[in-house]
Amino acid sequence: MSIRLPRGTQDILPGQVEKWQLIEEKARELCANFQYSEIRTPIFEHTELFLRSVGDTTDIVQKEMYEFKDRGDRSLTLRPEGTAAVVRSFVEHKMYGDANQPVKLYYMGPMFRYERPQAGRYRQFVQFGVEAIGSADPAIDAEVIALAMSLYGSLGLKKLKLIINSLGDKESRNAHRQALVDHFKPRIGEFCSDCQNRLEKNPMRILDCKQDHDHELMKNAPSILDYLNTNSKIYFNKVQQYLTNLNIPFEVDSNLVRGLDYYNHTAFEIMSDAEGFGAITTLCGGGRYNGLTEEIGGPEAPGIGFAMSIERFIAALDAENIELPIKNEIDCYLVSLGEEAKDYTVGLLHKLRLAGFSAERDYLDRKIKAQFKAADRSNAKYVAVLGEDELKANKINLKSMATGEQMEIELETFIDKLAELI
Ligand code: HAM
């Protein structure tokens, strides 16, 4: 029996991986412009970290974690998301003491959730995310959203919808929470057992329930926006004002509840509304998480961030029929004829590569015609032909594949000549 890859994972093969590399490169470039530095945290963390941050009533913690005991009987979990680890690291390394505040970080790497796999939903997926920790200025909320939108825009995505909401501060949330309990309690028996558990622990999670989504009580559930206190309203208005200043269109949707518990104030999602995009349209999600550093044992440091998966980014590009500008060409292919010339190209190829050229030669002892075909397949800009006669005369024949022009060059000056041409 042959072994296949685990459900919900994928191999990213040459031909596809170039898209990933381009997105990653763009993300890094943009992060440099926006002044976010890369952070790399472990793939697994103590399970406790996610219980405390993502929240023990969320689907992620209750149903989706890859949790295991190591040989020392510690409970560890493959990270389902990046924020918890970044905030843990921020606290652990006392970054709150750094001179530069807020601390602005980005990360890229695999995350793991035991979800039901379908188009756009994997069990291992790669997130690019940013976190700005140490400022409660609504301008940084706008900056974070602008970064995500700019990244999508830089690769040509147009059919995007930004949805924002405010979950308010603690006081607003408590008032909303009470209203939700009053609303759902009399008929909670009609809801799933998860929701029944959520009622007292975290009634907002009921709004995010996939099972009871269509229950009539969902439609007229109390809206958080009606419970925002003055400070929360002022904050939310500022965020909207800044987005407008940045010419970033958005919609306010009071039903936007995120799937993780650490949020307050700004919450947002970016969706694709391209035709033909699958059922899962959320490309990116994020929001503010004031209070999370304290939850993880650090001092107060308000934060905000987002994460997006590269898988869904690529799906959105495909849905909009966007071809990424990916070059798959090489500078020079060495074609050789005869044993001595073949031997010579081993060293010559190495010299070319060390001089900074992308270069290739034949390793299958192919006839000259097949070597030319291989050169074609690798989109070589130049093909250099070395036969026994050329070698004796210390010459090499160089052909430009774009113009068909051929020239005979002294072997000693070959690399310099190629540098001139390319
Ligand atoms: P999230 O909404 O759980 O938020 O995930 C963010 C993004 O990760 C989603 O919008 C989607 O692009 C991608 N994603 C999530 N699950 C999957 C999956 N199974 N397959 C493919 N892509 C997926 C967070 O993770 C928060 N940590 C975001 C954040 C950062 N909030 C503040 N800072």
Side-chain angles (χ1 to χ4, degrees):
M1 197 183 73
S2 64
I3 298 175
R4 314 211 27 198
L5 50 65
R7 212 163 117 72
T9 66
Q10 58 175 343
D11 297 320
I12 298 143
L13 306 179
Q16 270 295 312
V17 83
E18 293 78 7
K19 289 188 191 175
W20 289 69
Q21 291 167 339
L22 186 68
I23 292 171
E24 287 160 9
E25 198 181 302
K26 280 278 174 199
R28 287 181 199 285
E29 252 174 56
L30 215 54
C31 281
N33 296 351
F34 280 69
Q35 284 294 285
Y36 286 72
S37 311
E38 186 176 3
I39 180 166
R40 300 185 188 191
T41 62
I43 300 280
F44 57 84
E45 295 273 349
H46 292 289
T47 303
E48 176 72 16
L49 175 67
F50 302 114
L51 300 187
R52 275 209 245 166
S53 55
V54 173
D56 55 7
T57 56
T58 57
D59 276 357
I60 295 182
V61 166
Q62 288 197 339
K63 304 175 185 163
E64 298 171 2
M65 293 206 304
Y66 279 91
E67 189 181 341
F68 60 96
K69 286 271 170 74
D70 73 1
R71 285 166 196 272
D73 210 32
R74 297 171 199 93
S75 176
L76 298 171
T77 293
L78 297 186
R79 59 184 187 190
E81 60 103 50
T83 311
V86 171
V87 172
R88 188 231 358 102
S89 182
F90 175 89
V91 170
E92 191 158 347
H93 298 283
K94 300 189 171 60
M95 291 185 221
Y96 45 80
D98 289 1
N100 274 342
Q101 297 291 330
V103 173
K104 305 205 296 182
L105 303 165
Y106 80 89
Y107 51 91
M108 248 184 269
M111 307 291 161
F112 306 85
R113 296 184 193 177
Y114 192 80
E115 294 199 83
R116 207 160 51 80
Q118 60 187 98
R121 181 175 286 154
Y122 299 89
R123 289 185 173 166
Q124 175 176 330
F125 54 97
V126 173
Q127 276 188 347
F128 159 63
V130 312
E131 313 293 346
I133 311 172
S135 164
D137 183 343
I140 200 104
D141 300 39
E143 172 179 293
V144 159
I145 295 173
L147 203 170
M149 293 297 280
S150 308
L151 179 58
Y152 289 132
S154 72
L155 289 175
L157 284 180
K158 294 209 167 63
K159 298 184 176 145
L160 299 172
K161 195 160 83 180
L162 168 64
I163 291 170
I164 63 170
N165 190 19
S166 172
L167 305 177
D169 60 7
K170 217 178 204 156
E171 188 185 81
S172 314
R173 283 177 65 127
N174 283 341
H176 182 230
R177 183 198 152 91
Q178 194 51 53
L180 288 170
V181 172
D182 296 345
H183 179 76
F184 286 112
K185 201 167 189 176
R187 292 175 64 184
I188 195 66
E190 298 165 28
F191 285 77
C192 71
S193 59
D194 281 347
C195 283
Q196 294 181 14
N197 286 330
R198 287 163 178 150
L199 183 71
E200 296 300 335
K201 275 180 134 174
N202 192 354
M204 211 171 184
R205 284 264 77 82
I206 298 176
L207 301 176
D208 199 28
C209 181
K210 286 167 194 137
Q211 212 171 315
D212 293 319
H213 196 257
D214 296 323
H215 192 287
E216 59 167 309
L217 281 191
M218 291 290 208
K219 290 182 195 85
N220 57 355
S223 157
I224 178 69
L225 294 182
D226 295 330
Y227 293 85
L228 294 184
N229 60 15
T230 310
N231 278 344
S232 301
K233 270 187 201 151
I234 293 174
Y235 195 92
F236 193 36
N237 285 340
K238 267 284 183 197
V239 173
Q240 295 180 58
Q241 183 197 320
Y242 288 138
L243 287 174
T244 306
N245 288 355
L246 295 175
N247 284 320
I248 298 176
F250 60 88
E251 280 172 33
V252 174
D253 180 355
S254 64
N255 291 320
L256 175 70
V257 222
R258 306 263 307 118
L260 307 96
D261 276 351
Y262 46 62
Y263 293 113
N264 40 62
H265 289 288
T266 316
F268 66 95
E269 288 189 353
I270 301 170
M271 341 277 276
S272 165
D273 56 11
E275 229 174 281
F277 197 75
I280 301 172
T281 54
T282 306
L283 301 181
C284 171
R288 186 160 270 290
Y289 46 83
N290 302 350
L292 185 54
T293 48
E294 290 105 301
E295 207 60 56
I296 289 171
E300 186 188 339
I304 178 158
F306 70 73
M308 61 173 71
S309 70
I310 312 292
E311 287 83 355
R312 291 193 195 166
F313 198 144
I314 290 175
L317 290 167
D318 291 345
E320 289 196 36
N321 291 316
I322 295 168
E323 287 277 339
L324 295 181
I326 287 161
K327 277 202 209 124
N328 56 344
E329 52 185 22
I330 65 169
D331 295 323
C332 186
Y333 193 98
L334 294 180
V335 168
S336 54
L337 261 156
E339 206 51 37
E340 259 180 80
K342 267 193 201 335
D343 293 347
Y344 189 88
T345 57
V346 173
L348 186 59
L349 181 67
H350 189 59
K351 273 193 206 145
L352 272 173
R353 290 170 170 172
L354 292 187
F357 297 103
S358 50
E360 191 52 290
R361 82 189 266 281
D362 169 59
Y363 288 106
L364 296 176
D365 207 15
R366 280 181 281 214
K367 301 247 157 50
I368 187 147
K369 213 171 152 191
Q371 290 187 46
F372 265 102
K373 273 199 185 142
D376 252 353
R377 273 195 303 275
S378 51
N379 293 319
K381 289 184 220 159
Y382 287 88
V383 175
V385 186
L386 189 69
E388 299 289 329
D389 293 344
E390 280 94 351
L391 191 57
K392 272 194 202 109
N394 263 319
K395 297 232 156 95
I396 192 164
N397 196 291
L398 191 64
K399 181 177 177 188
S400 157
M401 299 306 273
T403 64
E405 190 193 341
Q406 295 197 37
M407 55 207 107
E408 209 166 49
I409 302 167
E410 298 287 327
L411 258 179
E412 282 82 71
T413 61
F414 172 51
I415 289 179
D416 294 339
K417 182 72 192 170
L418 199 62
E420 250 172 57
L421 291 168
I422 283 180

